[in-house]
């Protein structure tokens, strides 16, 4: 790596970084070694790519390919232009089916970000704004995005008053090439969801997650 192929050196170096991360997550020292770039240069470019969503971080702080590449790849093959757009129909159906607020989250390092949100028609409802960042260690969506074996085996996770008092939620993973790329969630007040929300909403949430996967695949 490191040889210029376009005549624009900084672009070639950035592409080298993406190529190195295609194989697996890499810590900064390994990233610099594989690309042949000085450590400071590798760090500067990786952080710049991270700000554009083309590079991200995993739970160990290693650099990984960013979620924005999913949307770019989908657009390049004629599919939906973004994860949020791909999920729009499934989320609307899930909201209408459950009567509760629904969200779509993606992981961003040790946080999760809401990339789509539809509110319940009830006056008492949960509200999560698009762009809101929430902790990974609280709530069913964080559990799903962490990708634990138990969650992947069951296909969904639930939480009761973990992040916010009086609120319960159910989430299911959206998978792409065997990896969890997002979490579809239903959330609402315990008065309606109960303290076992999975019994009410797991089936519908799973169906919505599968619908998002199909939309991402262009089916």
């Amino acid at each position: 790596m490191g040889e210029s192929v376009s005549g624009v050196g900084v672009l070639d170096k950035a592409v080298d970084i993406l190529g190195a991360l295609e194989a697996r997550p890499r810590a900064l020292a390994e990233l610099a070694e594989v690309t042949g770039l000085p450590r400071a240069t590798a760090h500067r470019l990786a952080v710049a790519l991270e700000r554009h969503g083309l590079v991200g971080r995993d739970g160990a702080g290693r650099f990984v390919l960013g979620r924005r590449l999913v949307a770019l790849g989908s657009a390049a093959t004629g599919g939906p232009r973004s994860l949020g757009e791909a999920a729009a129909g499934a989320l609307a159906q899930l909201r209408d089916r459950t009567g509760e607020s629904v969200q779509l989250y993606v992981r961003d390092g040790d946080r999760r970000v809401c990339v789509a949100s539809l509110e319940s028609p009830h006056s008492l409802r949960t509200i999560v704004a698009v762009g809101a960042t929430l902790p990974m260690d609280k709530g069913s969506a964080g559990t799903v995005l962490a990708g634990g074996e138990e969650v992947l085996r069951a296909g969904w996770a639930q939480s009761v008053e973990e992040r916010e008092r009086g609120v319960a939620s159910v989430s299911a993973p959206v998978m792409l090439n065997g990896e969890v790329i997002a979490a579809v969630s239903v959330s609402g007040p315990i008065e309606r969801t109960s303290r076992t929300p999975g019994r009410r909403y797991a089936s519908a949430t799973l169906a919505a997650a599968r619908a998002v996967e199909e939309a991402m695949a262009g089916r």
Side-chain angles (χ1 to χ4, degrees), residues 145-158:
L145 290 172
E149 290 186 9
E150 183 177 345
V151 171
L152 296 180
R153 185 167 55 250
W156 56 275
Q158 67 177 9

Side-chain angles (χ1 to χ4, degrees), residues 13 23 33-34 41 47 65 74 77 107 113 117 134 141 152 164 216:
K13 293 172 183 176
E33 180 181 357
V34 170
T41 300
V47 169
L65 291 178
S74 183
T77 57
R107 183 169 186 168
V113 181
S117 178
L134 303 173
L152 296 180
E164 187 175 348
M216 288 296 293

Side-chain angles (χ1 to χ4, degrees), residues 41-124:
T41 300
H43 181 263
R44 176 171 55 83
L45 291 176
V47 169
L49 289 167
E50 184 179 13
R51 292 191 176 185
H52 285 284
L54 302 176
V55 166
R57 307 280 186 117
D58 65 11
R62 298 175 299 178
F63 292 105
V64 298
L65 291 178
R67 301 301 188 193
R68 188 177 179 189
L69 291 171
V70 175
L72 292 174
S74 183
T77 57
R81 288 183 297 173
S82 73
L83 180 58
E85 289 176 353
L91 292 179
Q93 187 173 23
L94 181 61
R95 191 258 323 264
D96 294 344
R97 183 175 176 182
T98 63
E100 299 298 344
S101 297
V102 299
Q103 303 86 29
L104 184 72
Y105 295 97
V106 297
R107 183 169 186 168
D108 184 10
D110 61 355
R111 307 281 291 177
R112 54 186 168 102
V113 181
C114 179
V115 296
S117 178
L118 296 175
E119 293 181 13
S120 165
H122 296 288
S123 58
L124 180 61

